[in-house]
Amino acid sequence: GVAAKGDMLQDMLQAALGQHPLVGDIRGRGLFVGVEFVQDRDTKDCLDPALKFNARLKKTAFEQGLICYPMGGTIDGKRGDHVLLAPPFISTPDHLEEVVAKLTAAVALVTAELGL
């Protein structure tokens, strides 16, 4: 069911991005899973809003063939970057692997572009 697929997606994201220096948290319920991006994993300090990380991630993910839902300003209206993934309930494990691969590629591209 959806709970099992959600667990699978979170496990895949943890394996791919869980140790990334800019990933502060990966959490969600079912197939709605959020990935938080931070400047510092230990302190959870936010990325500089001027970097427009979430907007760059949205554009780059789309170019990779992934539609996702990046947002900024979720901490105080200005600071805070995250992306929400919401694949369809009919997703197969292969689909979920593709989502994670495309998001991981987009994060790597944006991180390199910004020199982070």
Side-chain angles (χ1 to χ4, degrees):
V2 171
K5 287 181 186 178
D7 289 345
M8 183 183 303
L9 177 58
Q10 286 199 44
D11 289 347
M12 290 175 178
L13 286 166
Q14 283 291 350
L17 291 169
Q19 297 306 309
H20 192 284
L22 298 184
V23 172
D25 197 12
I26 299 170
R27 63 185 180 274
R29 176 171 285 178
L31 284 169
F32 290 105
V33 180
V35 179
E36 175 190 32
F37 297 97
V38 294
Q39 177 179 303
D40 184 301
R41 287 172 57 89
D42 296 326
T43 64
K44 303 289 195 236
D45 284 345
C46 297
L47 288 163
D48 181 348
L51 294 173
K52 300 189 180 337
F53 187 88
N54 64 83
R56 290 173 189 264
L57 185 60
K58 180 177 184 175
K59 178 180 183 292
T60 304
F62 189 79
E63 290 166 354
Q64 295 294 310
L66 175 65
I67 295 174
C68 54
Y69 307 96
M71 293 267 315
T74 50
I75 301 288
D76 61 7
K78 293 181 182 172
R79 299 176 310 124
D81 291 272
H82 77 270
V83 63
L84 176 66
L85 299 173
F89 298 150
I90 60 170
S91 294
T92 65
D94 286 346
H95 293 139
L96 299 180
E97 285 178 9
E98 183 179 351
V99 166
V100 172
K102 288 179 177 181
L103 178 63
T104 302
V107 169
L109 287 166
V110 172
T111 301
E113 177 184 314
L114 292 172
L116 299 173

